[in-house]
Amino acid sequence: MPVWGANRGDAVGEFQSRIEAAVTDTGYRYQRTGQGFDLTVDVPGPERRIHTYRVVLRRPERAFTMTDVVRTIGYGAGPDGSRRGKTVTAGRSVYVARSRALDGSGRWHTFSSADGHRLIRGVARELGWREVRPTSVKIAMAFGVLGGAVAIGTLVALAVVFWF
């Protein structure tokens, strides 16, 4: 059995190859990029949703970032009838989508975005890579902490005002 790890000459190539092998014959589509790879999957549901796990590998640090890019194409009612709408979100998306098969079999198709995260993190762990959060996630977390602090401050101020 080959030894993977810090002594491996082409750590990025090994990471990419392991992911590519792991998604062979699955619903995931694999594409190498200049800095890593994209895993793309069609999400079942009434609207067309495409989930891409964009992974950037940093070889010197043996670190990676993972960003979820979710493209949704749906239809909605507008003043002039049915209108096609598109949205694109990037950051960290964790959700589950479930829909019935269109073939009349009564089967359900389920998608969990966490499955792709687990797959990528599992390969990374085996090869000794660590995850670094992308800047967009760090910014979102900072705003969340700031919003939480403002909410707690507001509750304390209201408690003081109504207590006295």
Side-chain angles (χ1 to χ4, degrees):
M1 178 172 195
V3 176
W4 315 113
N7 297 328
R8 174 91 173 136
D10 185 14
V12 168
E14 182 60 33
F15 198 134
Q16 291 171 322
S17 296
R18 294 279 293 272
I19 293 292
E20 187 173 15
V23 299
T24 301
D25 297 327
T26 67
Y28 292 98
R29 294 180 301 281
Y30 173 86
Q31 180 179 0
R32 286 186 189 221
T33 63
Q35 298 177 321
F37 59 89
D38 287 349
L39 274 185
T40 304
V41 63
D42 294 323
V43 179
E47 353 179 79
R48 181 156 193 252
R49 188 181 306 171
I50 302 166
H51 190 115
T52 301
Y53 303 89
R54 183 155 294 144
V55 178
V56 175
L57 303 171
R58 301 178 188 171
R59 183 174 181 227
E61 306 164 42
R62 223 167 165 74
F64 71 98
T65 59
M66 182 172 24
T67 305
D68 298 315
V69 179
V70 182
R71 290 176 174 78
T72 305
I73 302 168
Y75 294 91
D80 55 348
S82 179
R83 185 180 328 166
R84 186 174 173 177
K86 297 179 186 180
T87 60
V88 177
T89 60
R92 185 56 46 94
S93 294
V94 180
Y95 62 95
V96 175
R98 191 169 185 222
S99 69
R100 281 198 185 269
L102 297 176
D103 61 5
S105 65
R107 292 177 303 160
W108 286 89
H109 293 290
T110 303
F111 169 81
S112 172
S113 63
D115 293 340
H117 297 146
R118 277 191 290 274
L119 170 74
I120 294 164
R121 288 180 181 129
V123 169
R125 190 173 28 260
E126 289 175 12
L127 297 175
W129 288 71
R130 66 183 176 84
E131 183 175 7
V132 178
R133 295 177 193 242
T135 304
S136 61
V137 172
K138 290 178 183 176
I139 291 170
M141 287 176 62
F143 276 112
V145 168
L146 178 64
V150 168
I152 289 172
T154 303
L155 288 172
V156 168
L158 287 170
V160 168
V161 167
F162 286 111
W163 191 268
F164 296 106

